[in-house]
């Protein structure tokens, strides 16, 4: 594998672990505010991000590349209202999409078809992640200011369950 691509994938492991850290901070905020359903939603989101890191790690191993784990930055933990973490989640997912696209672009330039194929799962996943984040924002804007509406949204988030992503489930 081209060293530049291996380096970008190594950096992506860190970015995904940071995402997990960020979403855990969101979960803590909602838990402290009494919205256990939203806390559950972001705990699962954090687990998925850890899984994304593991998928990239596995890919490096399978291609005989070293994994280099580096320091994870502390996440931002100050929020003024229930909407703010949701908006930050969308902003963050767009940033992650740009990182995935950057690796894809490098793989395309190197004619690394294997990595392009590997990244296709993430291209689809990012579309889903952005779509989910947008849905969380619009729900909060539409119904979150009404106590009964917020209660129902929280209950909906409480029902979210973790599933192993397919690239790891195939083990
Ligand atoms: Fe791993 Fe939410 O992107």
């Amino acid at each position: 594998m081209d060293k530049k691509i291996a380096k970008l994938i190594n950096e992506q492991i860190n970015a995904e672990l940071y995402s997990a850290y960020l979403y855990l901070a969101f979960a803590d905020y909602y838990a402290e505010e009494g919205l256990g359903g939203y806390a559950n939603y972001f705990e699962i989101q954090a687990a998925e991000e850890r899984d994304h890191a593991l998928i990239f790690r596995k890919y490096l191993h399978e291609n005989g590349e070293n994994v280099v784990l580096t320091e994870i930055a502390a996440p931002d933990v100050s929020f003024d209202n229930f909407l703010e973490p949701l908006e930050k989640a969308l902003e963050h997912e767009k940033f992650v999409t740009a990182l995935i696209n950057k690796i894809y672009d490098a793989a395309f330039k190197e004619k690394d078809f294997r990595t392009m194929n590997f990244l296709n799962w993430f291209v689809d996943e990012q579309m889903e992640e952005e779509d989910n984040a947008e849905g969380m924002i619009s729900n909060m804007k539409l119904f979150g200011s009404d106590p009964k509406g917020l209660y129902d949204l929280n209950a909906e988030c409480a029902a979210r369950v973790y599933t192993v992503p397919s690239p790891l489930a195939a083990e």
Side-chain angles (χ1 to χ4, degrees):
M1 184 189 292
D2 177 76
K3 291 298 159 203
K4 184 169 68 262
I5 295 171
K7 185 168 179 288
L8 286 173
I9 293 176
N10 252 303
E11 287 168 5
Q12 194 61 28
I13 293 174
N14 186 280
E16 300 290 348
L17 289 175
Y18 173 79
S19 302
Y21 218 28
L22 182 69
Y23 291 145
L24 264 190
F26 292 1
D28 286 339
Y29 164 72
Y30 286 117
E32 284 155 19
E33 293 290 328
L35 289 173
Y38 277 86
N40 172 66
Y41 182 94
F42 279 106
E43 279 165 17
I44 291 170
Q45 197 62 31
E48 284 194 356
E49 298 301 351
R50 176 212 53 206
D51 289 346
H52 294 169
L54 293 178
I55 294 166
F56 281 110
R57 173 180 171 270
K58 181 170 168 254
Y59 184 70
L60 285 181
H61 280 310
E62 283 174 345
N63 284 276
E65 296 291 337
N66 289 337
V67 172
V68 183
L69 297 177
T70 54
E71 195 173 22
I72 302 166
D76 177 9
V77 288
S78 58
F79 311 111
D80 291 331
N81 51 58
F82 299 150
L83 182 63
E84 204 178 322
L86 307 179
E87 290 181 326
K88 285 189 170 163
L90 177 59
E91 190 185 321
H92 183 68
E93 286 305 331
K94 286 182 175 173
F95 171 67
V96 173
T97 297
L99 294 178
I100 300 287
N101 288 347
K102 190 175 159 189
I103 308 172
Y104 207 111
D105 186 52
F108 178 76
K109 283 177 179 143
E110 289 297 325
K111 291 191 168 54
D112 181 349
F113 303 115
R114 183 187 294 170
T115 298
M116 288 161 68
N117 191 45
F118 163 74
L119 288 172
N120 282 335
W121 185 87
F122 283 97
V123 171
D124 289 344
E125 176 72 4
Q126 283 312 120
M127 180 174 69
E128 196 183 312
E129 299 261 271
E130 286 183 32
D131 189 46
N132 289 342
E134 279 169 7
M136 294 289 279
I137 290 169
S138 59
N139 277 344
M140 182 60 80
K141 282 183 175 168
L142 284 168
F143 311 113
S145 54
D146 169 62
K148 175 69 169 78
L150 184 60
Y151 182 87
D152 288 347
L153 287 177
N154 189 56
E156 211 173 279
C157 289
R160 184 181 185 187
V161 290
Y162 168 78
T163 51
V164 180
S166 55
L168 287 181
E171 292 265 313

